[in-house]
Amino acid sequence: IRRPPRSTPKPSSAASDVYKRQRLTLKLFGEACHIARPLVYAASMKRHGRKSWRPLLVSASLDATMFACLSAAGGADEALLSPGEKHELHRRRASMAYYLMRSPVFETVTAPALRGAGRVMRPVPLLGGLYGKAVAIAEDVNDHFAYTY
């Protein structure tokens, strides 16, 4: 007696609903991390101080969690996200560069690198002077920027 070949079972609507709920839960948790990050960062800054690495690490871990959740909710290559969601996720990834302007990263990494490049650029006419002014402006802005973003 020959048996017909087994066909792969199609996902039921209940399984599809569970998958959609899981995606929605991941999206909501990712958005909650994004919303809570500034609040947690400010509270951590108040508790540990401006020179501590803890506020920065807590903020970065919330950003990493948010990106992981939203990427998982979007599926492979974020194919399940709408164009608006993809654009917002891209904008959030680009804003990660702002971590270079926050204390203590700015004081220990960014500012010394800028000053070192400035020593190389100083002999170049016009460009050296402009670069030096740009570094001075970045250092002045850092005091304000570190608390507002």
Side-chain angles (χ1 to χ4, degrees), residues 18-39:
V18 168
Y19 178 69
K20 287 179 183 176
R21 268 186 265 136
Q22 288 173 343
R23 284 188 51 238
L24 180 62
T25 302
L26 284 169
K27 277 185 178 182
L28 290 175
F29 188 73
E31 290 301 319
C33 288
H34 179 69
I35 292 167
R37 185 194 56 78
L39 301 172

Side-chain angles (χ1 to χ4, degrees), residues 68-129:
C69 288
L70 293 179
S71 293
D77 296 329
E78 298 156 3
L80 301 175
L81 297 178
S82 70
E85 290 171 329
K86 288 179 185 178
H87 178 70
E88 177 64 16
L89 200 53
H90 178 71
R91 187 196 65 76
R92 290 181 188 178
R93 283 188 183 122
S95 72
M96 294 298 287
Y98 288 129
Y99 276 99
L100 296 174
M101 290 296 290
R102 290 190 179 141
S103 294
V105 174
F106 185 80
E107 286 87 9
T108 58
V109 178
T110 308
L114 290 174
R115 285 187 210 111
R119 283 190 287 279
V120 172
M121 303 281 274
R122 193 173 298 137
V124 179
L126 188 64
L127 188 60

Side-chain angles (χ1 to χ4, degrees), residues 8 47 53 83 86 124-125 135 147:
T8 57
R47 179 180 173 119
W53 283 85
K86 288 179 185 178
V124 179
V135 170
Y147 289 106

